[in-house]
Amino acid sequence: MGDEKTGIQEYYELSQKVAEAIEAVLGIDVTIMNESMERVAGTGIYKTLVNDQIEKNSAFDRCLSTGKSQVITDRCPESSLCCGCSRILTCVEHAAICVPIRQGEKVIGVLGIIAFNEEQKKQIIKNADIYLNYLEKMALLLEGKYSEFQVNMEKKILSDRMKGILDTINSGVVIYDGKGKVLYKNNSLVRILNEMGIEDIDCFVKEIRKNQLLQSLLDNDECTRPCEIAIDILGVKYSLLVTITCLNTDSLSNEVMLTIQNINYFKKQVMQSIEKNQLRLQFDNILGISDGILEVKKLAEKAALSDSNVLILGESGTGKELFARAIHNCSDRKEHAFVPINCGAIPDELFESELFGYEKGAFTGAYANKIGKFEIADKGTVFLDEISEMPYRLQVKLLRILQEKEVSRIGSNKIQKIDIKIIAATNVDLQKRVREGLFREDLYYRLNVIPINIPPLRKRKEDIVFITNHFIKYYAEILKKDMRCISNEAMSLLLKYPWPGNVRELQNLIEYAVNFETGKMIRSELIEKRLLSNQDKSNLSDRFDGKSLGASIKELEKELISNCINKYSFFNSRDYMVQQVCNELEIGRATFYRKIKELDICLNNETCLNNENRELDV
């Protein structure tokens, strides 16, 4: 609207100059009015009356309504030209000539000269035809200027509409002329470059056009597919996804429009969307009715309301990740990504690149940019499972992320701010790890802001009964079995068993029992067979009588690992054998080597790791 007013004002200013030019040539005052009968220009006494309304039924009104020139050489009340004018009795005008100003067929104004004395009147009468012709030519000048103004306004309106449309799309848009000059850039491009941390946007936009790959595609007329280009500014590489459109509005313009996306942001959005749309687990989905588990749920619900870091403690299979997901899904971050990271399953050499990401060419094999887990989790939650297995050298980097809330990819010196909540989990005594020098004390305290300790299943007898009945019903429905209950003898075995694998182990057992039970009730024989597989069928409680919980768990762990090693000991390659053992036990190599060292287990009759093979230490 402001531009339209500016254009009208320019037209009115030109009208005033034309009026003054006519007055200088003829020596007679001039008035110009618009189609609303407002005086837009004037000389003499009418110069002070610009913007005033001109009277109805006047010569100017008649010229506007009929589109015909008006020549008045004698002011007379009886004259048809003066009859009806509201100023007939007070009129001081002795003569006048008015001509219409047109735009096509439409009359858009009137240009006129007025005599205020007898001398000017005689001048008009004597030169009426000459003055009429002269005024009509001056009206044509104004008509041309007004048409030019209208065309420019239509172009401006169209341009504003296009800009409005381009500003509503999420992609950045920039238009260059044939020489690389920036003709237009939309608001989204400015936003995208601001998000990338670009300070001098105009300089960066010019650098985009100079990109060699982009120029090569233009030279070879390959403008149909999106391409990834890299812009290097002071050693910092920025990756963009660019689509080229050659406008070619005329044969000489060679204008180019680029549609631009921050490719890292695009990839990040896709990965966040994948992570965000995972199972929406809530606290009600976590099974348990015991006082212990209900108390943990209440504490976890409070932790969900805070952005402070959470450390979940509990044995394997107690549901640490379920609690982490429920905390995330009940927090203000629930609409953003939940990114789980199993610190024990990632090889040491890949740990850093997985967490922090890397730039293309940062190392051998880095053929493309990779977004790190922490970037994906921006505004969401990172779940660090088995945090005790994180390599010591990377613990200081994690600490820095927690303190500074920023991350940098491998091969890049660009710092990116991130907003994440950390939930860590472990099944070992982290304080003991700190004392042993295997875990940083400062990181421990940074993570252990809100500790949540999940009690083991063996300490929740009522939960064993509740969870057992739940999974019987669940798997009976899934497997289409008419299974209704479990015998008292079988339940007694379950209540006596120490459950080193906790809820996960109980779930697997019930699934097994529902599969293989032939009657409508799960019998103790089937349960005992499963629990005592590869062992003498002695009473389960006798095996652990007199032993502490820690000793019992270590004995079970050692037996499981040793049996698995023996199972795959026929492989000639030790590395392949270790990989098979890790796959079956669902643990990482780092965890495997730590366990065999901790439990004094030998590999293939080799000397135990406490004595030799130090190269396996992690």
Side-chain angles (χ1 to χ4, degrees):
M1 192 69 182
D3 292 327
E4 184 176 356
K5 286 183 178 179
T6 302
I8 288 285
Q9 192 61 39
E10 288 178 358
Y11 172 70
Y12 290 167
E13 288 174 0
L14 176 66
S15 297
Q16 181 62 36
K17 291 178 181 179
V18 169
E20 291 172 357
I22 295 172
E23 192 272 339
V25 171
L26 303 182
I28 301 175
D29 286 336
V30 181
T31 284
I32 301 176
M33 77 172 195
N34 62 18
E35 61 185 318
S36 300
M37 294 189 66
E38 294 173 345
R39 184 177 283 107
V40 298
T43 63
I45 64 172
Y46 286 132
K47 188 170 184 179
T48 60
L49 300 177
V50 170
N51 296 326
D52 284 0
Q53 199 79 17
I54 293 179
E55 298 81 0
K56 289 282 188 181
N57 298 318
S58 64
F60 278 78
D61 182 23
R62 201 158 27 251
C63 181
L64 180 70
S65 60
T66 63
K68 296 179 179 180
S69 298
Q70 304 289 315
V71 179
I72 301 175
T73 56
D74 187 24
R75 174 172 53 85
C76 177
E78 289 78 20
S79 170
S80 61
L81 295 176
C82 296
C83 181
C85 179
S86 61
R87 287 195 304 116
I88 187 62
L89 299 178
T90 59
C91 181
V92 295
E93 300 172 357
H94 290 242
I97 299 177
C98 305
V99 297
I101 304 170
R102 304 174 185 275
Q103 185 192 23
E105 298 297 321
K106 182 181 179 183
V107 179
I108 59 166
V110 175
L111 165 63
I113 56 175
I114 304 99
F116 287 99
N117 54 50
E118 284 300 318
E119 183 179 346
Q120 290 178 342
K121 175 181 176 181
K122 292 177 182 178
Q123 188 178 340
I124 289 177
I125 294 172
K126 179 180 179 181
N127 301 293
D129 292 339
I130 297 172
Y131 286 177
L132 182 62
N133 183 57
Y134 176 61
L135 290 179
E136 287 174 346
K137 284 182 169 51
M138 298 305 287
L140 286 174
L141 173 65
L142 291 173
E143 289 172 18
K145 187 62 182 179
Y146 189 84
S147 296
E148 179 185 332
F149 156 70
Q150 286 295 105
V151 169
N152 288 338
M153 282 308 304
E154 289 172 3
K155 288 182 178 179
K156 181 66 172 60
I157 292 170
L158 180 60
S159 175
D160 288 344
R161 285 174 181 167
M162 291 304 299
K163 288 179 180 179
I165 294 170
L166 292 174
D167 280 336
T168 61
I169 64 176
N170 290 325
S171 298
V173 175
V174 58
I175 300 175
Y176 302 91
D177 66 12
K179 296 181 179 180
K181 179 182 176 182
V182 178
L183 300 177
Y184 168 76
K185 56 181 180 290
N186 70 345
N187 293 337
S188 293
L189 179 66
V190 176
R191 172 184 54 77
I192 289 169
L193 298 184
N194 280 332
E195 289 173 350
M196 293 170 63
I198 306 299
E199 295 181 357
D200 191 341
I201 290 178
D202 290 337
C203 178
F204 189 87
V205 172
K206 291 177 183 177
E207 288 298 319
I208 294 175
R209 184 61 182 83
K210 297 176 184 177
N211 182 266
Q212 292 182 354
L213 175 59
L214 185 65
Q215 188 59 51
S216 174
L217 291 172
L218 286 169
D219 292 342
N220 296 315
D221 198 23
E222 297 178 10
C223 306
T224 57
R225 59 182 178 82
C227 64
E228 181 180 351
I229 65 172
I231 308 297
D232 194 319
I233 303 291
L234 299 177
V236 180
K237 292 182 179 179
Y238 301 90
S239 295
L240 301 173
L241 187 65
V242 175
T243 302
I244 308 168
T245 304
C246 296
L247 299 179
N248 293 329
T249 52
D250 58 62
S251 60
L252 299 176
S253 65
N254 293 322
E255 292 178 2
V256 175
M257 181 176 74
L258 302 184
T259 306
I260 296 173
Q261 278 282 8
N262 176 0
I263 194 167
N264 291 331
Y265 180 79
F266 181 74
K267 290 178 180 177
K268 178 178 169 182
Q269 289 292 97
V270 172
M271 298 179 77
Q272 284 183 335
S273 177
I274 293 171
E275 296 291 349
K276 184 177 72 175
N277 292 319
Q278 292 184 8
L279 179 66
R280 291 288 187 175
L281 186 138
Q282 304 290 328
F283 287 109
D284 290 343
N285 301 121
I286 299 175
L287 300 176
I289 57 172
S290 65
D291 291 341
I293 202 68
L294 294 178
E295 190 66 30
V296 173
K297 284 186 181 183
K298 287 181 182 179
L299 178 59
E301 287 172 351
K302 292 179 180 178
L305 303 178
S306 169
D307 262 350
S308 297
N309 297 327
V310 178
L311 179 61
I312 303 177
L313 307 168
E315 296 177 7
S316 177
T318 50
K320 296 185 289 296
E321 183 170 345
L322 298 183
F323 270 95
R325 287 186 180 275
I327 290 172
H328 170 77
N329 291 333
C330 292
S331 73
D332 292 338
R333 298 173 178 269
K334 61 187 175 183
E335 295 304 322
H336 299 281
F338 175 88
V339 181
I341 302 171
N342 191 328
C343 299
I346 303 175
D348 285 5
E349 61 271 15
L350 299 181
F351 214 103
E352 193 170 0
S353 61
E354 281 291 317
L355 266 59
F356 310 127
Y358 54 79
E359 292 292 319
K360 180 180 179 180
F363 50 82
T364 303
Y367 299 116
N369 295 340
K370 178 179 174 62
I371 300 174
K373 299 288 189 182
F374 285 109
E375 277 190 72
I376 296 172
D378 189 27
K379 296 182 175 58
T381 303
V382 172
F383 175 55
L384 297 172
D385 199 9
E386 295 188 44
I387 185 64
S388 58
E389 303 303 312
M390 176 172 281
Y392 193 86
R393 65 182 179 84
L394 293 181
Q395 292 176 22
V396 66
K397 291 196 173 187
L398 175 59
L399 181 65
R400 179 176 177 79
I401 291 174
L402 297 180
Q403 292 173 336
E404 307 297 333
K405 299 294 185 180
E406 58 186 31
V407 67
S408 179
R409 294 183 190 171
I410 300 172
S412 172
N413 55 6
K414 181 184 176 185
I415 302 297
Q416 299 189 57
K417 286 289 184 181
I418 55 172
D419 173 20
I420 57 173
K421 176 174 181 172
I422 297 288
I423 303 177
T426 182
N427 58 3
V428 302
D429 187 346
L430 273 187
Q431 287 184 311
K432 182 181 178 183
R433 286 297 181 90
V434 171
R435 292 193 297 270
E436 294 171 347
L438 299 175
F439 200 84
R440 293 182 64 94
E441 185 175 21
D442 47 5
L443 178 58
Y444 170 74
Y445 288 116
R446 180 67 68 172
L447 293 172
N448 194 31
V449 178
I450 302 179
I452 296 177
N453 202 327
I454 305 174
L457 186 59
R458 60 184 164 276
K459 292 186 178 181
R460 299 184 275 135
K461 301 297 185 182
E462 57 266 59
D463 284 345
I464 295 176
V465 177
F466 177 80
I467 294 172
T468 297
N469 289 325
H470 170 83
F471 282 127
I472 290 174
K473 182 179 178 181
Y474 174 78
Y475 285 114
E477 183 176 344
I478 292 293
L479 300 172
K480 295 179 173 52
K481 298 285 290 283
D482 187 14
M483 186 68 58
R484 300 177 183 178
C485 60
I486 184 171
S487 70
N488 292 334
E489 295 80 4
M491 181 61 76
S492 178
L493 287 173
L494 299 183
L495 292 171
K496 291 178 181 179
Y497 186 64
W499 298 109
N502 290 283
V503 177
R504 186 185 297 121
E505 184 180 2
L506 176 57
Q507 180 179 357
N508 290 344
L509 174 65
I510 299 304
E511 183 178 3
Y512 165 83
V514 173
N515 266 293
F516 291 99
E517 181 59 70
T518 56
K520 295 184 178 181
M521 180 176 65
I522 298 175
R523 296 169 293 112
S524 61
E525 293 81 3
L526 192 64
I527 295 295
E528 188 173 23
K529 178 182 179 182
R530 177 70 172 182
L531 295 179
L532 296 175
S533 59
N534 300 323
Q535 300 179 30
D536 292 332
K537 293 186 178 181
S538 57
N539 193 309
L540 282 173
S541 61
D542 293 339
R543 181 177 176 185
F544 300 104
D545 274 350
K547 293 182 180 179
S548 68
L549 173 61
S552 299
I553 292 174
K554 281 188 176 182
E555 182 179 332
L556 281 171
E557 284 184 332
K558 184 171 184 178
E559 182 175 328
L560 284 171
I561 294 172
S562 297
N563 287 342
C564 204
I565 289 172
N566 291 333
K567 179 178 178 181
Y568 294 105
S569 60
F570 62 91
F571 287 114
N572 294 327
S573 169
R574 187 174 69 180
D575 284 342
Y576 188 77
M577 180 269 290
V578 170
Q579 186 60 51
Q580 295 303 312
V581 172
C582 291
N583 290 344
E584 181 161 323
L585 296 178
E586 297 183 0
I587 59 175
R589 281 177 173 264
T591 303
F592 171 77
Y593 285 128
R594 179 171 56 78
K595 287 294 183 183
I596 62 176
K597 180 178 179 180
E598 189 176 283
L599 301 171
D600 201 23
I601 300 172
C602 298
L603 285 174
N604 294 352
N605 298 319
E606 295 176 10
T607 306
C608 294
L609 290 182
N610 282 340
N611 301 319
E612 294 181 6
N613 291 333
R614 294 298 181 186
E615 74 274 11
L616 299 178
D617 288 356
V618 292

